Amino acid sequence: AQSVTQPDIHITVSEGASLELRCNYSYGATPYLFWYVQSPGQGLQLLLKYFSGDTLVQGIKGFEAEFKRSQSSFNLRKPSVHWSDAAEYFCAVGGGGNKLTFGTGTQLKVEL
Amino acid sequence: DTAVSQTPKYLVTQMGNDKSIKCEQNLGHDTMYWYKQDSKKFLKIMFSYNNKELIINETVPNRFSPKSPDKAHLNLHINSLELGDSAVYFCASSPPSGGRTDTQYFGPGTRLTVL
């Protein structure tokens, strides 16, 4: 069965600081990996996805993520956080059959 | 233009009532989903339809019945509402992908509160 672990429930960073959100997955074959962001009271918006190829993936809003098969990880990074990045971030894994399994999310707070 | 829309945005009702949530997508996608997000923000798939056919049915009480009149619509009907049904329900859709997982596009959510 596929699963996702996001070990950090809450993270607080200062505006302008760098950010890394951790994601570890479990999947028996080549995974399809996603990062979504949810702003308060909103639906989920796709930040980036990895299907194959270059293991460093660029997304929207200046985010990037790196797929590391040996570590079963897909960590999300941003070099300089903006106050508007405060939100809930979800990592998800999928494979065949259109089923996405989400992690429990990481809430990001940005200190001004 | 709204890609995935849900109505209503908020729904407050009494235990034991029956209610429906509607979802429509104008993206031309073949596959639609319902997710439940609990108070701890955990997001879990409930159902998935592909071209009006049920393809994913996670262990959801049979009080929940999805209905897809056409591939652009997926409604969720809930009978005999219970306190534990209080959550945010998200509809999503995804394009044809040859059976593999592809990007899912989410609606804004419906916050259901059962009193």
Side-chain angles (χ1 to χ4, degrees):
Chain A
Q2 58 201 53
S3 66
V4 175
T5 301
Q6 293 180 248
D8 304 306
I9 299 174
H10 299 103
I11 282 186
T12 300
V13 299
S14 299
E15 191 175 33
S18 63
L19 171 71
E20 183 169 28
L21 302 183
R22 296 183 291 164
C23 171
N24 292 96
Y25 68 90
S26 173
Y27 188 70
T30 300
Y32 300 111
L33 295 160
F34 304 80
W35 274 100
Y36 282 86
V37 61
Q38 184 181 23
S39 298
Q42 304 294 315
L44 279 76
Q45 180 184 23
L46 180 72
L47 284 176
L48 46 80
K49 62 186 178 186
Y50 171 78
F51 286 172
S52 64
D54 192 345
T55 56
L56 185 61
V57 180
Q58 302 297 320
I60 62 171
K61 305 184 181 187
F63 285 93
E64 66 178 26
E66 187 170 11
F67 170 57
K68 294 185 177 180
R69 185 185 298 274
S70 61
Q71 298 177 19
S72 298
S73 69
F74 188 56
N75 294 348
L76 182 71
R77 300 193 294 249
K78 186 170 185 178
S80 177
V81 169
H82 188 262
W83 64 265
S84 60
D85 293 325
E88 191 89 21
Y89 291 80
F90 292 93
C91 181
V93 65
N98 292 312
K99 183 176 177 181
L100 268 187
T101 298
F102 284 84
T104 49
T106 297
Q107 185 176 48
L108 173 65
K109 293 185 179 178
V110 180
E111 290 181 334
L112 300 177
Chain B
D1 287 339
T2 303
V4 182
S5 59
Q6 296 178 228
T7 53
K9 189 167 175 63
Y10 300 96
L11 186 53
V12 181
T13 188
Q14 300 286 333
M15 264 197 316
N17 284 351
D18 304 337
K19 290 293 178 186
S20 292
I21 307 172
K22 294 186 177 181
C23 177
E24 177 181 4
Q25 55 94 5
N26 62 7
L27 297 166
H29 290 166
D30 288 347
T31 308
M32 296 184 71
Y33 312 80
W34 277 110
Y35 285 87
K36 178 180 180 180
Q37 186 176 49
D38 63 23
S39 59
K40 295 186 178 179
K41 298 289 184 76
F42 183 61
L43 199 65
K44 185 168 168 43
I45 191 166
M46 301 172 68
F47 301 103
S48 174
Y49 270 73
N50 182 269
N51 276 323
K52 304 194 297 175
E53 283 192 41
L54 181 67
I55 57 171
I56 294 176
N57 184 351
E58 295 292 291
T59 38
V60 176
N62 58 15
R63 297 182 296 104
F64 290 79
S65 52
K67 286 191 172 47
S68 182
D70 55 62
K71 72 174 192 177
H73 296 84
L74 180 62
N75 303 324
L76 183 65
H77 188 75
I78 315 171
N79 289 326
S80 303
L81 278 155
E82 300 177 357
L83 293 176
D85 298 331
S86 296
V88 181
Y89 292 85
F90 286 101
C91 178
S93 71
S94 64
S97 58
R100 81 159 189 211
T101 306
D102 205 333
T103 303
Q104 294 181 15
Y105 296 81
F106 284 77
T110 295
R111 182 173 293 276
L112 171 65
T113 303
V114 182
L115 303 175

